[in-house]
Amino acid sequence: MNVMRHSPRRDRALLLAVSAAVALTACGVTSAEDGKGPDTGAALKIDAIAVDKKAQAELPEALKKSGTLKVASELDWPPFSYKDDSGQTTGIDVLMVQAIGKKLGLKTSIADLGADTIIPSVQNGRYDVAVSQLVTTPERLRAVNFVDYIQNTLGIIQHKDYSPQVTPGDMCGKTFVGTQGTGPLDFTRQYSEKECAAKGKPKMTIHVFDKSAATILAVGNKRGVFLTNRAVGEYVAATSGNGLVMGKETIPGSRTLSGIAYSKKQPQVGKAVQAALLSLMNDGTYQKILERWKVTDQALKTSEIRNETGS
């Protein structure tokens, strides 16, 4: 497998031309809680969510006293976590973690980090949790624990004029792009080894970028195609204005779970987050958040805690 690494810095001028859905951001922010953003327009008032006393009781005392849930994320990954045209922090993950914070009686502060630094920032205790459509993988489970909150399937996003067009049944030997530290990149690499090389087919060529916005820009510049969560691909194709199209077919074997990451040293944080999430599922808020971005097909019926030994 040919893996190439590129920095988004040299393409900053072009990145600024990509829509707000993939705008670069590099600073910590405190997210607003009214949930505005380019979505279905459904009203959802996060501020109206009441504290769940049972979930709140699960919090470690230090976090309860701090009054703030510190969250690591990457804010250029629509529709999960991003900034809208007005600079408002929004998305599925943003509203979900804000709603969890409300259930726990905590304010929510979300910091914008690079994809490959999100997990380490929770490991070292700088942030309480991380949420950025983080796919639960064995490698990540060795570093942190997860609370399940959504399921995913992958599809192919590519430029409408990319030639030849790539389909799920014809990916070996083709050129792909991916973002460092992400689940779709892991899947692309594994597919290249197991479905291509191991079966005597040519491996994929994979260009790796440090930020999601740079990855999307590369697709728009026809430097390759991109395996991505279907919700992400459909959103970006509809909003980028960059000639991108999202295929309707799902990549076989690509179903995964995404979770809210927390430190193995802080098991009570995970229990509190899980309890708050289950409360959101029970009162219908969870479903309303997914409905707002038209991804109810990715909903889970319950939430489990994942670690190295299983759930």
Side-chain angles (χ1 to χ4, degrees), residues 116-259:
D116 57 347
T117 65
I118 292 174
I119 294 295
S121 75
V122 172
Q123 274 185 290
N124 64 26
R126 184 179 178 188
Y127 297 96
D128 302 306
V129 298
V131 59
S132 188
Q133 203 227 336
L134 297 170
V135 175
T136 305
T137 64
E139 180 183 11
R140 287 175 174 167
L141 286 172
R142 288 192 288 270
V144 293
N145 293 344
F146 285 90
V147 177
D148 295 338
Y149 75 100
I150 199 168
Q151 60 181 328
N152 320 284
T153 56
L154 299 179
I156 300 173
I157 187 170
Q158 56 197 310
H159 194 279
K160 62 182 178 61
D161 296 327
Y162 191 79
S163 182
Q165 290 280 295
V166 181
T167 66
D170 184 29
M171 299 198 298
C172 295
K174 302 300 191 297
T175 300
F176 286 75
V177 298
T179 307
Q180 186 65 44
T182 63
L185 176 60
D186 292 341
F187 182 89
T188 304
R189 287 168 166 163
Q190 292 167 11
Y191 191 98
S192 182
E193 293 297 330
K194 296 178 181 179
E195 299 299 323
C196 300
K199 296 182 179 180
K201 300 177 182 179
K203 293 182 179 182
M204 301 169 172
T205 295
I206 304 175
H207 303 294
V208 180
F209 297 85
D210 294 331
K211 293 283 282 185
S212 301
T215 304
I216 297 300
L217 182 66
V219 179
N221 287 338
K222 294 179 277 190
R223 296 178 64 178
V225 305
F226 182 31
L227 290 188
T228 188
N229 178 280
R230 290 190 53 77
V232 173
E234 289 172 6
Y235 183 97
V236 171
T239 60
S240 69
N242 209 26
L244 305 184
V245 292
M246 183 67 193
K248 299 300 181 184
E249 297 179 78
T250 294
I251 308 300
S254 67
R255 181 187 178 275
T256 57
L257 291 172
S258 285

Side-chain angles (χ1 to χ4, degrees), residues 34-46 90 95 287-296:
D34 60 3
K36 294 178 182 177
D39 50 43
T40 66
L44 179 62
K45 294 295 184 181
I46 298 299
T90 189
L95 265 64
Q287 290 80 5
K288 289 178 182 177
I289 293 172
L290 299 187
E291 180 183 352
R292 182 166 174 164
W293 276 273
K294 299 181 180 180
V295 292
T296 52

Side-chain angles (χ1 to χ4, degrees), residues 141 146 148 257 274 303-311:
L141 286 172
F146 285 90
D148 295 338
L257 291 172
Q274 182 193 35
S303 173
E304 302 287 347
I305 287 178
R306 306 285 170 181
N307 53 46
E308 289 178 279
T309 60
S311 60

